[in-house]
Amino acid sequence: MSLVLLLGHPVGHSLSPAMHNAAFRALGLPHTYEALDVTADALPAAVQRIRDGEVLGANVTVPHKEAVVKLADTWDGPTAEVGAANTLARTADGRRVLAANTDLVGFEYATREVDLRGKRVLVLGAGGAARAVLAVLFRRGAHVTLANRTVERARSLVRATAHPPELDLRLVDWADRTDLAAADVVVNATSLGLRGEDPLDGAPLRRGLVVIDLVPTAAPTALASRAREAGALVVDGLPMLLQQAVASFEVWTGRTPPVDVMRAALYASVS
Ligand code: NDP
C-alpha cells in the first residue's frame, strides 16, 4: 500500500480524502489518502517522507502552499510562475521531490463559464491560493484589486506578480474591501468561511455581481448563501476542488482518474 497525504494545519474539514480514496478503489490501486495535521516546524520532515519513498505524494493546503516550494527539489511550470504549490510527488528518477500547482487548472475550470475579460475583480487574500487566482485572472484579461489583512503579504504578492501592462493590479486596505461599488466579481481566497465567518463582514451584495468563494465546505459558506439570496451568480469551492484533485491524481499515479467517481464521492460527502 502507498500513502498519499494531505499536509495542512488544520486539515480536519477536508473533503479531499473521500474523492481520492474513491478513485483509488475504482482503479484498483493499493493507495490510501489521509489528512495529516502538520505544523510549519514539522513540514520539512513530512516532505522528506516523500523523498525517502515512504510516501507516494501529497497535497498541500493552508497555510503551507508557499513554504513547501522551498522544500522541493524541482518545480512544474505553474509553481515556478506563482511561487506556491498544492501537490508533491517523487520524480521519475525516484530521488527528488517535485512541487506542482494544480490550483491554476482548478480555478480555470471553475470559472470557465464566467466572462472575466475586462472585468474588475476584487480578490480577498494573498496566500497560496490567491497566487494561482491572480495568474489565471490576468491570463483571462481581468483587472485586479487585491485586499489582504496583512498588507505586507499583499505587497509582496503584487511585487511577485508579472501582469500585462494594460491590466490593473492595485491594492486596497483590508478595511476597504467592503466597498463593492467598483467590482464586477469578488473572489474569496482567504480562509474565512471555514468556520462560518463572512469575509465581507455583511457588506451588501447585488444582482449582477459574481461571487467566487474558494472555501470548500460541506454546507454553503455564509458568503455564498448571502450572495445567492442577493441574486448574485455564485461559484462555490467544489468545482475547483474537484478539478485540482483530478490533476493531482494524475501527477501521483500517471493515470487518468475516474472523474465521475470523484465527483460523486465529493458531492455525496457534502449532501
Ligand atoms: P494561506 O494560508 O496561504 O492564506 C490564507 C489567507 O487567508 C491569507 O490571505 C490570510 O491573510 C487570510 N486569512 C486567514 N485568516 C484570516 C482572518 N482571520 N482574517 C482575515 N484574513 C485571514 O491559504 P491558501 O491560500 O492556501 O487557502 C486560502 C483558502 O482558499 C482556504 O480556505 C482554502 O481552503 C481555499 N482553497 C480552495 C481551493 C479549492 O479547490 N476550492 C484550492 C485552494 C485553496 P493573512 O496574510 O493576513 O494571514
Side-chain angles (χ1 to χ4, degrees), residues 9-13 37 62-63 149 188 190-199 213 215-223:
H9 183 66
V11 286
H13 62 276
D37 198 308
V62 183
R149 177 182 60 174
N188 177 32
T190 72
S191 324
L192 294 174
L194 280 175
R195 293 179 200 80
E197 316 94 316
D198 177 352
D213 193 349
V215 176
T217 46
T221 60
L223 176 61

Side-chain angles (χ1 to χ4, degrees), residues 105-116:
V105 289
F107 187 72
E108 186 88 59
Y109 173 85
T111 57
R112 67 199 181 285
E113 283 167 10
V114 180
D115 178 15
L116 291 167

Side-chain angles (χ1 to χ4, degrees), residues 224-235:
S225 301
R226 283 205 309 114
R228 281 202 183 97
E229 276 165 28
L233 174 70
V234 177
V235 177

Side-chain angles (χ1 to χ4, degrees), residues 13 60-66 86 103 106-107 124-131 147-151 153-154 174 177 188-194 197 213-216 236-245:
H13 62 276
V60 183
T61 186
V62 183
H64 300 316
K65 285 185 181 178
E66 289 159 271
N86 70 330
D103 281 342
F107 187 72
L124 308 176
R131 286 176 173 256
N148 193 53
R149 177 182 60 174
T150 307
V151 70
R153 195 170 185 193
W174 181 243
R177 73 195 183 286
N188 177 32
T190 72
S191 324
L192 294 174
L194 280 175
E197 316 94 316
D213 193 349
L214 266 50
V215 176
D236 67 30
L238 300 185
M240 177 173 174
L241 190 72
L242 173 66
Q243 206 56 33
Q244 60 79 34

